[in-house]
Amino acid sequence: MKKTIASIIAVTMAMAALPAAAETVVIVSAKNPASRMFSEQAAQFFLGKSTMFTPIDQAEGSAIRNEFYKKVADKDAAQVKALWSKLVFTGKATAEPKEFKSNAEVKKAVAEDPKAIGYIDKSAVDDTVKVILTLQ
């Protein structure tokens, strides 16, 4: 019985010590009139199905990028890459979204372009951009 209680306490303490998962948000320039968006809408811009916004991507292979595409489109990195390759090859798109190496670089690119849309960690948000979707 003591071992069971000790095990439960140990597991509880270990779980409490785990860092909280970072929250990813979809952002647009503070100058953009958009105020809200659904995941399905965001997926359309990042998968080349709409040109209303210019998608700005995080670096290929980054954890935030993998998490983003899984949450908004239920796709992994290879599926997204294949989709964009097909769009470019068939002429339905001229190029894949521009990639940036950090939240700060994505935020700067989005802030400077009222038509841009990107995603960053919520902790990186400031008044130069506007959050239009928080991913759960």
Side-chain angles (χ1 to χ4, degrees), residues 22-94:
E23 205 168 21
T24 302
V25 294
V26 176
I27 57 167
V28 294
S29 169
K31 300 169 192 153
N32 188 305
S35 60
R36 292 174 57 183
M37 184 175 289
F38 294 107
S39 292
E40 297 81 13
Q41 293 168 309
Q44 289 184 351
F45 304 121
F46 285 92
L47 299 178
K49 296 179 181 178
S50 175
T51 58
M52 182 185 285
F53 288 97
T54 304
I56 304 292
D57 237 336
Q58 293 273 0
E60 188 172 348
S62 65
I64 191 170
R65 181 173 173 159
N66 295 335
E67 177 188 359
F68 172 78
Y69 281 107
K70 194 67 177 161
K71 287 184 176 181
V72 300
D74 196 29
K75 295 192 181 304
D76 62 30
Q79 291 172 311
V80 173
K81 186 84 169 159
L83 179 73
W84 275 103
S85 294
K86 180 180 176 184
L87 289 171
V88 171
F89 180 76
T90 60
K92 293 181 181 174
T94 56

Side-chain angles (χ1 to χ4, degrees), residues 2-16:
K2 286 184 180 180
K3 284 186 177 183
T4 304
I5 292 173
S7 295
I8 291 171
I9 291 172
V11 168
T12 303
M13 289 176 67
M15 291 186 69

